[in-house]
Amino acid sequence: MGFVLAAAGSAVGLGNVWRFPYVTGENGGGAFLLIYLGIVFTIGVSVLVAELIIGRSTQLDPAGAFRKLAGGAWPLAGYMSIFTAFIILSFYCVIAGWTLAYTVKSLTGSVLNPDTEQAGSLFNAFITDPFEPVLYTALFLSITVFVALGGIANGIERAARVLMPALFAILLVLAARSITLDGAAEGITFFLEPDFSKVTWATFLAALGQAFFSLSLGMGAMITYGSYMNRHDDIAGSALTVTLLDALVAFLAGLVILPAVFAFGATPSAGPGLTFITLPSIFAQMPFGHVFSALFFALLAIAALTSSVALLEVVIAYFVDENGANRKKVATIAGAAVFVLAVPASLSLGVMSGFTIGGNVLFDAMDYVTNNITLPLGGLLVALLLGWVLRHKGEEEFLDGSTLAPALLGAWRFVIRYAAPVAITLILINGVGIL
Ligand code: TRP
């Protein structure tokens, strides 16, 4: 139970509440939701199982685990993980900074606005400012490093076990409010009724990337969690529970944001600001909206904190376990390095928006490269390792400790050997548009 909650704490974060609704909005709604859930419950849950097996069987950090299990060039996958964790953390803490800012601004009431257009202008003025969001990013990152340094990560996790159900409860209340707004029906249709006419390879790539990001896969994080499991802990059951919880929170967030988008006359493809633009308008129309809003953004910040600490831990564990580096030194240096990258990421939404990489501002480029390239690649490597290098040893591990596993063995083997490698390769090649 403790393990499941810890892994769910890492999975549930900004990916569910901030990223999922806006990516769904950008990719046409219902059809994306269906493709997303399809990927999550085939490739996603199977790769999660694979990462947990790697961790539980070696009791090592990702690079060490790859070396022990396969040797050769496999530990290189570890470098990709560090790179990915760095980049994700650099934009993750910018968004997490926004949640801190919105906690404060909810209390003063300055962001609650029933007019979504005005809420949007306020949001834009805030994120394009060269100083304020950077200060909040620095604050959030400092808290992350402090938690990692102080060894109080366990304390935060324990607190999160109480607070995450609270976040879930508020999401339920908000969903009820959102779907009963005048004009919400169009948004409900958009979210739940698949329209396949706009589906392309890019839709599949976006769904694949979102699935890996949301489940914290493809970068060794779940290998690390697996290494904390006991020998005979139930891997299949835990993976299913974590996947269900994560998908449920994302689904609920979609049900909060997208109906409101249509009810308020906003555009679903508005991008990363979607959550921050629609929520203040929902809160503005609720009794005690200020209190609810502050509470919601504070809980979201805490959900983000459990994720950011886990992300930083990927970097720390690598340098400490592999190079025997000093934990405090690594945490401080890594935190500083992340900040150096986070500042231009934040500024790229404002004063530095003229600087683009392949047509994307820095923030979008960082998001694209990690979610749409390195995470799926990492997942592909994990599937190949389990399905082809380890084979029977992996299957023995899969069965060990789980009453559920025997019934699922055939399906899991098929996905990890054939379906996942083929699908990820096809989606990557066609979605990225190399060929
Ligand atoms: N899953 C997290 C979220 O949805 C983000 C994330 C991606 C993450 N990779 C991770 C968190 C690794 C912890 C560890 O917000």
Side-chain angles (χ1 to χ4, degrees):
M1 192 64 186
F3 163 79
V4 168
L5 289 175
S10 144
V12 174
L14 297 173
N16 309 63
V17 179
W18 159 71
R19 201 171 187 279
F20 174 76
Y22 96 75
V23 173
T24 304
E26 281 180 344
N27 286 281
F32 178 85
L33 174 67
L34 206 66
I35 294 168
Y36 175 71
L37 291 176
I39 289 179
V40 161
F41 286 101
T42 53
I43 299 177
V45 74
S46 299
V47 171
L48 175 53
V49 162
E51 290 203 12
L52 294 178
I53 287 178
I54 295 174
R56 193 187 70 176
S57 63
T58 59
Q59 306 277 312
L60 289 170
D61 69 292
F66 277 119
R67 183 172 314 118
K68 180 170 173 187
L69 290 175
W74 285 94
L76 286 179
Y79 297 120
M80 194 167 73
S81 305
I82 314 295
F83 171 81
T84 305
F86 246 119
I87 307 282
I88 290 185
L89 203 46
S90 302
F91 68 77
Y92 204 83
C93 64
V94 172
I95 312 297
W98 297 355
T99 65
L100 284 183
Y102 267 58
T103 306
V104 176
K105 290 169 191 282
S106 299
L107 285 175
T108 63
S110 64
V111 286
L112 268 65
N113 201 314
D115 181 339
T116 302
E117 209 166 302
Q118 282 178 32
S121 307
L122 284 169
F123 171 76
N124 262 322
F126 166 63
I127 64 159
T128 53
D129 186 273
F131 300 108
E132 211 190 345
V134 174
L135 286 180
Y136 279 106
T137 299
L139 178 61
F140 183 83
L141 192 54
S142 308
I143 300 174
T144 301
V145 173
F146 179 78
V147 169
L149 269 180
I152 55 170
N154 277 329
I156 296 288
E157 227 160 60
R158 228 171 296 135
R161 278 172 210 179
V162 184
L163 297 172
M164 288 312 100
L167 180 67
F168 192 79
I170 296 195
L171 277 173
L172 275 177
V173 173
L174 286 175
R177 172 69 278 214
S178 184
I179 60 181
T180 52
L181 286 166
D182 273 343
E186 205 187 328
I188 298 172
T189 307
F190 175 83
F191 185 43
L192 298 181
E193 211 176 277
D195 167 8
F196 290 103
S197 67
K198 295 207 181 64
V199 172
T200 64
W201 283 107
T203 318
F204 280 90
L205 183 60
L208 184 69
Q210 174 63 22
F212 279 113
F213 181 76
S214 192
L215 288 168
S216 308
L217 295 177
M219 50 182 290
M222 287 296 176
I223 296 181
T224 309
Y225 278 94
S227 75
Y228 302 147
M229 285 180 113
N230 293 319
R231 271 262 139 252
H232 307 295
D233 281 348
D234 179 359
I235 285 182
S238 310
L240 268 177
T241 313
V242 171
T243 305
L244 269 172
L245 280 174
D246 189 68
L248 190 61
V249 176
F251 180 78
L252 259 186
L255 215 47
V256 171
I257 307 297
L258 292 166
V261 165
F262 284 82
F264 297 143
T267 20
S269 57
L274 203 61
T275 296
F276 291 87
I277 293 170
T278 46
L279 278 177
S281 298
I282 307 179
F283 285 122
Q285 303 192 7
M286 289 172 74
F288 305 108
H290 295 232
V291 183
F292 263 122
S293 183
L295 197 62
F296 177 84
F297 282 113
L299 289 171
L300 186 54
I302 289 164
L305 185 63
T306 59
S307 293
S308 67
V309 170
L311 278 161
L312 185 61
E313 193 59 38
V314 170
V315 180
I316 297 176
Y318 179 80
F319 288 103
V320 172
D321 293 353
E322 294 295 306
N323 306 319
N326 175 291
R327 197 186 154 82
K328 290 200 156 81
K329 234 189 229 165
V330 175
T332 315
I333 295 173
V338 166
F339 187 63
V340 168
L341 217 58
V343 172
S346 177
L347 296 182
S348 75
L349 301 169
V351 293
M352 270 177 62
S353 61
F355 170 74
T356 57
I357 304 168
N360 287 318
V361 299
L362 183 64
F363 184 96
D364 296 339
M366 289 160 81
D367 182 292
Y368 189 89
V369 166
T370 49
N371 287 305
N372 294 2
I373 299 175
T374 66
L375 291 184
L377 262 183
L380 174 64
L381 290 177
V382 164
L384 291 176
L385 179 63
L386 256 291
W388 296 97
V389 180
L390 297 185
R391 290 168 162 258
H392 298 298
K393 191 165 174 279
E395 290 174 14
E396 273 164 32
E397 287 285 342
F398 179 75
L399 294 170
D400 188 357
S402 176
T403 48
L404 205 66
L408 297 171
L409 181 64
W412 178 70
R413 182 197 288 138
F414 173 74
V415 172
I416 222 65
R417 274 204 192 162
Y418 307 105
V422 170
I424 296 173
T425 306
L426 275 179
I427 293 173
L428 267 176
I429 290 176
N430 292 295
V432 177
I434 299 171
L435 292 181

